[in-house]
Amino acid sequence: MEKKPNLDELRKEMKKLDELNKKFKTDFKLSDTRLSFYCLNKGEEVFEILNAFTFPKLENLDLRYNQIKNISKLIETKVNLLEVLNLAENELESIEPLSKCQLGNLIELLLFKNKICSIDILAECNFNKLKILDLSNNLINSINIQSFKPLSNLEKLCLSENNLKDNEIFSLEESETIFSTLKILYLSRNNIEKLSSFKCPNLIELYLIGNQINNIDSLYQSKFKELKILWLSENKLENIDFISKTEMANLKELYLSNNCINNIDSLSKSYLIYLETLYLSDNQIDNINVFSQTKLNSLKTLNLNNNKISCIDIFNKCSFNKLENLHLNNNKINNIDNLLCSPICAQLKILNLRFNQISDIKTISQTKFEKLQILDIKNNKINKKENSEIITNIKNTNNFKFLI
């Protein structure tokens, strides 16, 4: 026979909760599935409500931005059904108490923007259901791979903005097993100079932005069979030879902006038939003739802004049948006639040619743009007064936005 709730005790609990709600200026109910203490700046006092009551349906607990330094009191909290725990933007130096908390149902753990130095304690946590772990913007400089052994269902790991010097834990023999479920990995803005191979067989997205990477020879040994997005922007790469040697046939997006790349000939040997987005902006590229030899048949967006390109005639020989967005800002281009006569203009939606040396725009008025939405040729050497009639004609006979 089901035990009836003691109404007097329930009334007392509700009265006490009412008093605490007034103290914290909150509006919590015992039936809540989500509690947010965001930005109350109450430090460990927030646990006063959590430990005074049982919230039987609580699934999401937000403790962000509270200046919390110690989470020992979380051990007493009855949050057995909790799926999301957000402790981001606090002042935590240690996460040791997590090993004693009843968090067996946790799916998402957010710890970014704290002062955490070590995550070894994760090896003792019951986090076998955890799928998302965000440790970005902390003080971590080394990691023991055993820390991730209990995290048998981890899919997304964020370690950006720490002090990591390598990616060694992802290149060990046991990495293939421990990180077998990992799909998204953030390692941006650390101090990584040389990459080791990645043994994460099901990785789909890899972010390595803003490191000091100048050597990626070991990347050739990685098997990125599932990889679709790769970010290597803001590093010190001088070439892209890895493209022709690394197994990543399913890659869809490749970002190589803000490096020191001056030669892209390796693209001719690459097998990136599914690549849709290629960013090569802010490099030292002066020759793009290799594009006539590539098999980038799925390419939709090509960004070559801020390079040293002077001749773009090669676009008349490219088989970029799906190219929609072409960005050539801030180069040394003075003639666009061959580009405008090329087949790719038929499907272009955005053509960006700002900050070049273009002076003649007659061919633009003679070109049939079937899908173009924006044509930007601002900050070139075009004399608007002398070309006023052509400019008016272009604007009156086309539907696209013409920026000059």
Side-chain angles (χ1 to χ4, degrees):
M1 189 173 178
E2 191 178 337
K3 187 179 177 181
K4 291 184 179 180
N6 187 315
L7 294 179
D8 288 336
E9 286 182 11
L10 188 59
R11 286 192 192 100
K12 286 178 184 177
E13 273 209 342
M14 291 176 71
K15 185 178 179 182
K16 188 178 178 183
L17 181 58
D18 212 32
E19 290 170 358
L20 286 171
N21 272 329
K22 286 176 183 176
K23 176 181 175 180
F24 287 101
K25 296 180 181 178
T26 51
D27 187 27
F28 298 140
K29 300 178 184 66
L30 295 175
S31 59
D32 283 346
T33 59
R34 184 180 188 278
L35 299 184
S36 177
F37 293 83
Y38 175 67
C39 210
L40 292 183
N41 291 316
K42 294 290 184 180
E44 288 73 35
E45 282 187 65
V46 295
F47 295 108
E48 193 175 334
I49 285 184
L50 290 170
N51 295 339
F53 306 99
T54 298
F55 292 92
K57 297 180 181 180
L58 188 62
E59 295 176 356
N60 189 319
L61 177 57
D62 187 351
L63 296 168
R64 281 176 300 158
Y65 214 84
N66 270 291
Q67 299 178 346
I68 298 171
K69 295 180 180 178
N70 191 315
I71 53 171
S72 296
K73 290 182 180 178
L74 192 61
I75 298 169
E76 304 164 29
T77 307
K78 297 170 186 177
V79 285
N80 297 350
L81 297 177
L82 200 66
E83 294 181 354
V84 179
L85 175 57
N86 194 336
L87 283 160
E89 299 177 280
N90 280 291
E91 297 177 17
L92 298 177
E93 293 182 8
S94 170
I95 54 171
E96 296 277 328
L98 288 177
S99 64
K100 297 175 183 177
C101 296
Q102 302 300 311
L103 296 169
N105 287 301
L106 204 63
I107 294 172
E108 187 172 344
L109 176 58
L110 306 176
L111 292 160
F112 59 87
K113 288 191 179 179
N114 277 285
K115 299 176 182 178
I116 301 163
C117 295
S118 172
I119 56 171
D120 291 352
I121 196 63
L122 290 176
E124 299 175 31
C125 296
N126 179 25
F127 287 161
N128 63 323
K129 290 185 180 180
L130 196 70
K131 291 185 178 182
I132 299 171
L133 175 59
D134 194 338
L135 287 155
S136 300
N137 213 320
N138 277 286
L139 303 172
I140 303 164
N141 55 32
S142 64
I143 301 173
N144 187 332
I145 193 171
Q146 298 305 317
S147 303
F148 293 96
K149 205 165 185 179
L151 281 58
S152 54
N153 284 295
L154 190 64
E155 294 182 2
K156 181 178 179 180
L157 175 59
C158 304
L159 288 164
S160 294
E161 296 184 79
N162 279 284
N163 297 319
L164 298 175
K165 293 180 180 177
D166 56 56
N167 64 310
E168 189 179 349
I169 66 158
F170 302 103
S171 66
L172 304 172
E173 287 302 320
E174 53 197 320
S175 304
E176 197 158 353
T177 303
I178 291 176
F179 295 113
S180 62
T181 58
L182 193 63
K183 295 178 180 178
I184 302 172
L185 175 59
Y186 285 83
L187 287 167
S188 296
R189 308 199 189 287
N190 279 282
N191 295 313
I192 301 169
E193 290 185 12
K194 185 177 179 179
L195 280 183
S196 301
S197 62
F198 285 87
K199 293 183 178 176
C200 309
N202 293 300
L203 204 60
I204 294 174
E205 299 178 21
L206 176 57
Y207 299 84
L208 291 156
I209 306 161
N211 281 285
Q212 304 294 318
I213 301 168
N214 55 30
N215 189 324
I216 51 177
D217 292 348
S218 296
L219 207 62
Y220 306 157
Q221 299 163 26
S222 306
K223 293 182 179 179
F224 292 135
K225 292 182 179 179
E226 304 298 326
L227 196 68
K228 288 183 170 61
I229 299 174
L230 176 57
W231 278 82
L232 276 161
S233 298
E234 296 177 47
N235 281 287
K236 295 183 177 180
L237 300 178
E238 294 183 359
N239 63 67
I240 55 172
D241 293 348
F242 75 97
I243 287 180
S244 61
K245 299 175 184 178
T246 308
E247 186 179 341
M248 45 185 186
N250 288 305
L251 200 66
K252 285 192 171 184
E253 298 178 22
L254 178 57
Y255 300 89
L256 294 162
S257 300
N258 290 92
N259 276 284
C260 305
I261 300 164
N262 55 33
N263 190 309
I264 56 172
D265 288 350
S266 296
L267 282 171
S268 64
K269 299 172 186 174
S270 66
Y271 191 72
L272 301 174
I273 59 171
Y274 298 111
L275 192 69
E276 295 180 358
T277 302
L278 176 58
Y279 270 63
L280 285 161
S281 56
D282 296 276
N283 279 290
Q284 304 295 318
I285 302 164
D286 59 7
N287 190 317
I288 57 171
N289 288 339
V290 67
F291 285 134
S292 65
Q293 303 162 40
T294 59
K295 297 175 182 177
L296 303 175
N297 300 331
S298 299
L299 197 64
K300 291 182 179 179
T301 298
L302 175 59
N303 193 319
L304 288 160
N305 288 345
N306 303 315
N307 277 286
K308 298 179 178 180
I309 302 162
S310 57
C311 181
I312 56 173
D313 293 351
I314 198 65
F315 283 113
N316 206 9
K317 298 177 182 177
C318 294
S319 57
F320 293 161
N321 302 323
K322 295 183 179 179
L323 192 65
E324 296 179 348
N325 309 303
L326 179 56
H327 302 276
L328 290 158
N329 274 3
N330 199 21
N331 279 281
K332 297 179 179 180
I333 301 162
N334 56 32
N335 191 306
I336 56 173
D337 290 355
N338 277 321
L339 168 64
L340 296 175
C341 294
S342 68
I344 68 169
C345 277
Q347 73 264 0
L348 277 182
K349 291 182 179 178
I350 297 175
L351 177 55
N352 206 328
L353 290 158
R354 278 193 184 201
F355 291 102
N356 279 285
Q357 297 170 16
I358 302 163
S359 58
D360 188 356
I361 58 170
K362 290 176 185 174
T363 315
I364 296 176
S365 63
Q366 299 162 8
T367 304
K368 187 179 180 182
F369 298 103
E370 295 179 11
K371 299 180 180 179
L372 199 65
Q373 296 170 3
I374 299 173
L375 173 55
D376 190 344
I377 54 169
K378 277 189 172 184
N379 301 99
N380 274 277
K381 294 185 175 181
I382 301 161
N383 188 315
K384 292 184 183 179
K385 192 174 280 188
E386 289 180 7
N387 289 280
S388 60
E389 193 174 322
I390 296 174
I391 293 170
T392 303
N393 182 49
I394 292 170
K395 288 182 176 180
N396 291 340
T397 58
N398 292 282
N399 294 321
F400 58 79
K401 191 174 183 179
F402 185 43
L403 303 173
I404 186 169

